[in-house]
Amino acid sequence: VLAYGQLINLEKSKIAYSKNVGGAVRNLITSFLGVRDGMGSGKYLGFPSIIGRNWRVVFKFIKYKSVE
């Protein structure tokens, strides 16, 4: 931050938690950091921000798109 003078845009930032993190802890961290809870929502570079274990289904379209 000091070297480049860049800051994180908290209005655009979201945080994702493991399923093992309880609701009270999520609320505490989210409010402390000033970011939104982004569980299961949104995309990054055209991909779902939360992929989970079913990544083959998520990325399947790339294989078929490159054939066309």
Side-chain angles (χ1 to χ4, degrees):
V1 173
L2 296 177
Y4 298 106
Q6 297 178 344
L7 299 173
I8 296 171
N9 186 342
L10 297 175
E11 292 179 13
K12 293 181 178 180
S13 300
K14 294 182 181 180
I15 189 167
Y17 298 97
S18 165
K19 293 179 181 179
N20 299 328
V21 179
V25 175
R26 287 182 188 204
N27 291 337
L28 180 68
I29 294 171
T30 302
S31 63
F32 179 77
L33 294 177
V35 295
R36 294 178 287 163
D37 187 350
M39 292 300 292
S41 63
K43 291 189 175 210
Y44 179 73
L45 299 176
F47 297 106
S49 57
I50 307 295
I51 295 173
R53 294 179 183 243
N54 205 1
W55 59 271
R56 289 181 193 241
V57 173
V58 173
F59 293 107
K60 190 177 188 178
F61 77 93
I62 295 174
K63 180 178 179 181
Y64 294 112
K65 188 172 186 173
S66 63
V67 174
E68 295 175 355

